[in-house]
Amino acid sequence: MFNELGPIDRSNLGDMPVEEFRHHGHDFIDWICDYFSEIESYPVLSSSEPGAIKRRLPGAAPEKSMEMEKIFADFIEIIIPGLTHWNHPNFYAYFSISSSGPSILGELLIAALNINAMLWKTSPAATELEETVLEWMRKLLHLPEGFLGMMVDFASVATLCALIAAREKVKDLNIRVKGFPRTENAPSLCFYCSDQTHSSIDKAAIIIGVGLENLRKIESDKDFRMRTDLLEERIKEDLKNGHKPFAVVATIGTTSTTSIDPIPEIGKICRKYNLWLHVDGAYGGNASILPEYSGLMDGLEYADSYVINPYKWMSMTIDGSLFYFRDPDFVEHAFSIVPEYLKTVESQHVTDYMNYGIQLGRRFRALKLWFLLQYFGRDGIVNRIRETVRLGRLFQSLVEENPDFEIMAPAPFSVVCFRFNPRNETLDEAKLEKLNVRLMDEVNNTGKIFIEHTKLKGRYTLRFAIGNIRTAERHIRSAWKLIADCAEKLVHD
Ligand SMILES: *Cc1c(COP(=O)(O)O)cnc(C)c1O
């Protein structure tokens, strides 16, 4: 019935021989060192056309073992040209992130150890290091006491977890067990954020079954902060109409302008109406490590949950997001399912992180954060973040000195929103948009820098985000010169 098993080729079993791993490992580290030394010679933004990389890759995996040299050559020739170099000091798009030596080395060990930190028992050091490092971070960030922290992959997931827990807290519903009520006049759940909030909140509305229609986008003020008068009005109106408000998401550092919602006032409203307050500090929350920014945490005493991404501004390798929650028992109640084969005798006395989130398996992310925090120390991280804030102010002042440009929003951190608006022309919004789209494309096509855009209350805006550990003042000055020169050429063409 079966073909006879042929002679077994021993070389086709087992892992790569350790000596070979050592050899390639050294080569890889050498390549990484060269990559960082020469990073400025790469174009920041890949100019790859859609489909170009796929066409160069074989349609099926190889049947026979390939030499590492050949695999690596393809990586250099096919993959690298299709990459946008997020580590490039002139990457100013989205939120500028970067990896750092200590976190890369931590990442290497995470991959080598390959432990799964789902239960305390599955690696006690992983759980206890995670608890410790998250408590270190809580203190470093000036986050009030009384939060348990855990690491998840991304902020979107932390926010989703927070809202699932918040949904369970709604009295008399018990959605975890019963699902959503199916009766005709069942109350509909609703929650609130500002019109500047990250799209992960909308995604959470989809996933938790509340629905986009029931996510109320509260208008922001002229500085893009949530209007708390409108928030309270809307809550009252919803209550009057028989809806069930259950949560508010406030942001420290919104995605477009990095505006900061008035957390204390929002917190008081949450208290008054018994709503879960989730604070999204994915980017801006990193700044609270600076003593001069510790006021960002005002109002966090009202928060039920909080998220901050050290991969966004602390140069920890992607991924890794810190999810803090005030009431572990409650989050556990929302998520916990413990099948027989995951029961342990220690569970009463230890933290089993699998009980506080979505997936079972968990990477040993705390290790790279531990390496990073110790290698740089608090002072090292503070200095680096403070320097990016200084560079942001510098960039803003360069924009302000040029009468053909305008600042589009306050810049509380290191992201500057601006646009080209030549003083000798009166252009309507549509023309200004076209002009700035062209400017952005021209600048990006040079391969020297990468910037992106947003829209602020209908107005097309360029965004210049600084956060890369390798970005220095000379980069900012030459980036600005490039933008200003391209702009001048555009009006003269
Ligand atoms: C980046 C960002 C997110 C999304 O973070 P992910 O880690 O990519 O899910 C959410 N909220 C804010 C404010 C952000 O800046």
Side-chain angles (χ1 to χ4, degrees):
M1 199 190 310
F2 295 107
N3 292 327
E4 216 176 54
L5 194 63
I8 296 169
D9 179 359
R10 289 287 165 203
S11 67
N12 268 342
L13 295 175
D15 191 17
M16 170 190 276
V18 165
E19 275 316 309
E20 191 187 346
F21 179 82
R22 189 191 310 277
H23 172 80
H24 296 311
H26 287 160
D27 285 349
F28 275 40
I29 295 285
D30 280 344
W31 180 84
I32 293 170
C33 294
D34 292 344
Y35 174 70
F36 283 137
S37 306
E38 297 158 9
I39 186 133
E40 291 182 50
S41 65
Y42 290 86
V44 193
L45 182 62
S46 168
S47 53
S48 188
E49 297 290 335
I53 308 293
K54 255 201 280 191
R55 270 197 299 280
R56 298 195 58 191
L57 294 168
E63 268 175 44
K64 300 271 183 267
S65 165
M66 281 169 67
E67 290 298 322
M68 185 54 88
E69 282 73 12
K70 166 72 176 129
I71 303 170
F72 195 76
D74 286 348
F75 163 71
I76 297 293
E77 248 175 69
I78 304 174
I79 305 301
I80 289 280
L83 297 182
T84 289
H85 295 277
W86 288 70
N87 274 315
H88 197 299
N90 279 323
F91 185 109
Y92 305 111
Y94 318 111
F95 284 108
S96 171
I97 64 168
S98 51
S99 61
S100 59
S103 84
I104 296 171
L105 294 175
E107 194 81 78
L108 192 62
L109 296 181
I110 294 170
L113 296 169
N114 202 37
I115 63 116
N116 191 336
M118 53 200 200
L119 294 164
W120 176 86
K121 184 182 180 177
T122 58
S123 269
T127 295
E128 293 184 21
L129 183 67
E130 187 164 338
E131 289 177 298
T132 303
V133 165
L134 276 267
E135 180 61 10
W136 286 6
M137 283 293 284
R138 186 194 64 71
K139 290 181 185 156
L140 288 172
L141 296 166
H142 302 99
L143 189 63
E145 282 179 19
F147 284 96
L148 177 69
M150 79 166 178
M151 287 185 90
V152 296
D153 51 358
F154 288 93
S156 306
V157 168
T159 293
L160 176 62
C161 291
L163 289 166
I164 289 171
R167 189 186 70 175
E168 281 314 301
K169 211 156 192 178
V170 180
K171 271 217 172 67
D172 310 327
L173 277 185
N174 195 9
I175 292 168
R176 173 188 154 110
V177 176
K178 299 191 180 300
F180 276 91
R182 286 171 212 81
T183 52
E184 187 88 348
N185 346 325
S188 65
L189 291 182
C190 60
F191 69 118
Y192 307 82
C193 64
S194 92
D195 57 11
Q196 298 296 311
T197 315
H198 189 264
S199 53
S200 55
I201 321 303
D202 303 63
K203 280 206 185 166
I206 298 170
I207 300 167
I208 65 175
V210 167
L212 290 170
E213 252 179 40
N214 301 309
L215 171 55
R216 318 284 193 228
K217 298 276 177 88
I218 306 299
E219 202 183 304
S220 54
D221 66 14
K222 65 170 190 7
D223 290 337
F224 309 96
R225 299 152 50 91
M226 188 195 289
R227 284 204 27 205
T228 49
D229 55 333
L230 298 181
L231 171 66
E232 185 160 14
E233 248 173 51
R234 191 67 210 258
I235 293 171
K236 283 185 183 157
E237 187 189 324
D238 280 328
L239 286 169
K240 209 172 78 198
N241 293 330
H243 298 299
K244 260 199 196 292
F246 73 101
V248 178
V249 179
T251 309
I252 297 175
T254 57
T255 317
S256 281
T257 72
T258 71
S259 62
I260 304 157
D261 285 332
I263 312 282
E265 288 95 280
I266 294 172
K268 282 177 199 139
I269 293 172
C270 288
R271 195 59 55 97
K272 183 166 165 192
Y273 295 93
N274 195 25
L275 307 177
W276 185 288
L277 174 59
H278 175 65
V279 179
D280 177 358
Y283 158 74
N286 286 272
S288 74
I289 194 172
L290 308 185
E292 61 269 35
Y293 275 91
S294 59
L296 288 174
M297 294 294 105
D298 291 350
L300 262 293
E301 64 273 17
Y302 296 106
D304 296 283
S305 51
Y306 180 63
V307 59
I308 173 247
N309 281 353
Y311 83 74
K312 253 186 179 157
W313 203 357
M314 284 192 191
S315 303
M316 188 184 78
T317 55
I318 205 166
D319 54 2
S321 184
L322 313 187
F323 174 38
Y324 286 96
F325 38 91
R326 197 175 279 286
D327 187 345
D329 289 348
F330 199 79
V331 176
E332 185 171 12
H333 160 78
F335 284 105
S336 179
I337 297 278
V338 187
E340 187 56 38
Y341 47 84
L342 294 176
K343 288 190 176 140
T344 67
V345 287
E346 300 87 4
S347 65
Q348 293 304 312
H349 319 289
V350 298
T351 302
D352 286 330
Y353 272 120
M354 69 162 194
N355 291 333
Y356 302 94
I358 297 167
Q359 84 286 5
L360 171 62
R362 306 181 67 257
R363 302 184 65 222
F364 190 6
R365 295 187 186 88
L367 192 66
K368 61 183 176 180
L369 185 53
W370 188 56
F371 271 69
L372 180 138
L373 290 175
Q374 295 178 105
Y375 179 82
F376 289 122
R378 184 194 64 114
D379 291 353
I381 296 170
V382 162
N383 291 342
R384 285 168 175 84
I385 292 186
R386 192 178 277 146
E387 174 66 0
T388 53
V389 172
R390 185 186 76 81
L391 295 178
R393 304 243 158 93
L394 171 68
F395 184 83
Q396 171 156 357
S397 70
L398 294 170
V399 175
E400 282 166 347
E401 280 164 21
N402 188 322
D404 289 333
F405 281 84
E406 59 183 333
I407 294 289
M408 301 296 284
F413 301 109
S414 62
V415 175
V416 180
C417 292
F418 70 107
R419 73 175 171 184
F420 184 38
N421 190 353
R423 82 204 101 147
N424 296 330
E425 298 178 49
T426 5
L427 302 174
D428 61 20
E429 281 304 321
K431 291 220 172 84
L432 276 169
E433 172 162 347
K434 256 177 125 173
L435 185 65
N436 280 277
V437 170
R438 273 186 62 198
L439 175 58
M440 183 175 79
D441 289 345
E442 295 261 329
V443 164
N444 288 343
N445 287 340
T446 66
K448 290 188 177 134
I449 74 170
F450 178 27
I451 58 174
E452 260 300 339
H453 79 285
T454 188
K455 260 195 183 164
L456 300 178
K457 307 206 188 266
R459 303 194 301 171
Y460 193 88
T461 299
L462 301 177
R463 264 175 101 266
F464 193 90
I466 308 168
N468 188 311
I469 198 167
R470 281 167 265 279
T471 305
E473 182 167 334
R474 69 185 166 88
H475 299 110
I476 303 298
R477 292 194 180 275
S478 61
W480 171 246
K481 186 166 182 320
L482 179 70
I483 294 168
D485 289 351
C486 280
E488 202 177 320
K489 266 208 349 246
L490 275 184
V491 283
H492 288 129
D493 282 353

